[in-house]
Amino acid sequence: MLKGKFNIFILTGAGISAESGLTTFRAEGGLWSGHRIEDVCTPDALATNPDLVCGFYDERKKAASKALPNPAHEALAELERFWRNAALGNFTLITQNVDDLHERAGSQNLIHMHGELNSAYCMDCSVQFVRHGPLEGNRECPSCSQEALRPDIVLFGETPRCLPTIEAALEACHIFVAIGTSGNVVPAADFAAQAKSHGAETLLLNLEIPELPVQFSDCRMGLASQIVPQWVSELLLKMNGTMQRSGE
């Protein structure tokens, strides 16, 4: 499966950023404490009180800007560089996270399926652009001058980004790895089963065993900052050995 035929698909969730100090969605006393989802994370909330929604995500943006990539982010960036330089095949990294820690660690071929904190979207003219500053009280679009900017985030009830691209990558991958994700939120919860149905090896790196462990060929439990670098080191060693035996 070498020479451009060994495709890898990696899915990351909140668990990989938790060790960088970003609280997870389901953590007790975590991110959504003091806020009902209906008030800050839905299209209805955005229509009813856009400044409240913008303020909520401004706070998340501020927290993310202070966080640093951890060894798990860095290991995945190292793996991508190796995959690309060795021309092994497609390397696809899908994150459910809206922070930019993967990018700051060096990841390049990355899809944010739930949007990005450092991006804004105009509901009037559909322009989309990088926005590091706050949106609360600053919703005027630089393109059409309407007070119509919103966080470029997939709210509850909205469709995740790039699903056709993700589906194609799942069908073509040989290795599927889920890292730091609960496996409870669709459509990402179905990705492992989809990849496995197409013959991929499926691996989970997480703190806890998932509700449906049968989806995975192997499960390794532990902190992402520890088990992800360990797995990457093992895979690099294996792939280097395979290439040497193949005369690459």
Side-chain angles (χ1 to χ4, degrees):
M1 289 188 289
L2 295 176
K3 295 184 178 180
K5 298 293 184 180
F6 201 77
N7 302 326
I8 187 166
F9 184 113
I10 296 175
L11 171 70
T12 65
I16 196 171
S17 293
E19 291 178 75
S20 293
L22 301 182
T23 50
T24 62
F25 176 80
R26 297 177 187 280
E28 183 178 353
L31 180 64
W32 313 105
S33 291
H35 294 283
R36 294 192 314 146
I37 289 175
E38 295 83 355
D39 292 338
V40 291
C41 302
T42 65
D44 285 344
L46 183 65
T48 302
N49 196 339
D51 270 338
L52 177 64
V53 174
C54 288
F56 175 75
Y57 284 103
D58 285 346
E59 288 300 316
R60 294 190 65 191
K61 185 188 300 186
K62 186 184 300 183
S65 70
K66 297 176 182 178
L68 296 174
N70 64 56
H73 296 103
E74 293 165 353
L76 292 180
E78 178 187 2
L79 180 61
E80 180 182 356
R81 287 191 295 270
F82 174 85
W83 224 256
R84 181 174 60 250
N85 293 337
L88 291 174
N90 297 328
F91 184 99
T92 304
L93 175 57
I94 308 296
T95 185
Q96 299 172 82
N97 301 333
V98 292
D99 60 65
D100 64 348
L101 295 180
H102 280 301
E103 288 93 335
R104 285 196 271 147
S107 293
Q108 295 183 11
N109 189 21
L110 171 67
I111 292 175
H112 284 269
M113 64 180 293
H114 291 157
E116 302 178 61
L117 287 171
N118 291 323
S119 181
Y121 173 79
C122 179
M123 296 181 287
D124 193 70
C125 70
S126 300
V127 69
Q128 190 176 21
F129 59 96
V130 174
R131 175 68 173 262
H132 292 286
L135 282 173
E136 184 181 11
N138 296 277
R139 298 181 56 240
E140 181 177 327
C141 174
S143 179
C144 69
S145 300
Q146 298 300 308
E147 293 285 334
L149 291 183
R150 58 163 283 180
D152 193 15
I153 301 292
V154 176
L155 302 175
F156 283 90
E158 295 180 331
T159 303
R161 310 284 169 77
C162 303
L163 287 181
T165 300
I166 292 172
E167 295 283 349
L170 285 170
E171 291 181 11
C173 75
H174 300 98
I175 300 176
F176 172 92
V177 187
I179 300 171
T181 178
S182 64
N184 294 324
V185 180
V186 294
D190 299 327
F191 287 174
Q194 289 179 251
K196 192 171 185 179
S197 71
H198 292 287
E201 296 179 16
T202 54
L203 170 65
L204 175 69
L205 305 175
N206 199 30
L207 272 175
E208 301 174 347
I209 292 288
E211 293 181 1
L212 297 173
V214 69
Q215 295 180 345
F216 296 96
S217 309
D218 186 19
C219 296
R220 303 186 187 185
M221 303 296 102
L223 295 172
S225 62
Q226 297 175 6
I227 60 177
V228 174
Q230 180 182 20
W231 168 72
V232 167
S233 295
E234 292 174 5
L235 183 58
L236 292 180
L237 184 63
K238 177 181 178 180
M239 297 310 296
N240 275 316
T242 301
M243 288 190 295
Q244 290 175 3
R245 289 192 298 271
S246 300
E248 293 283 319

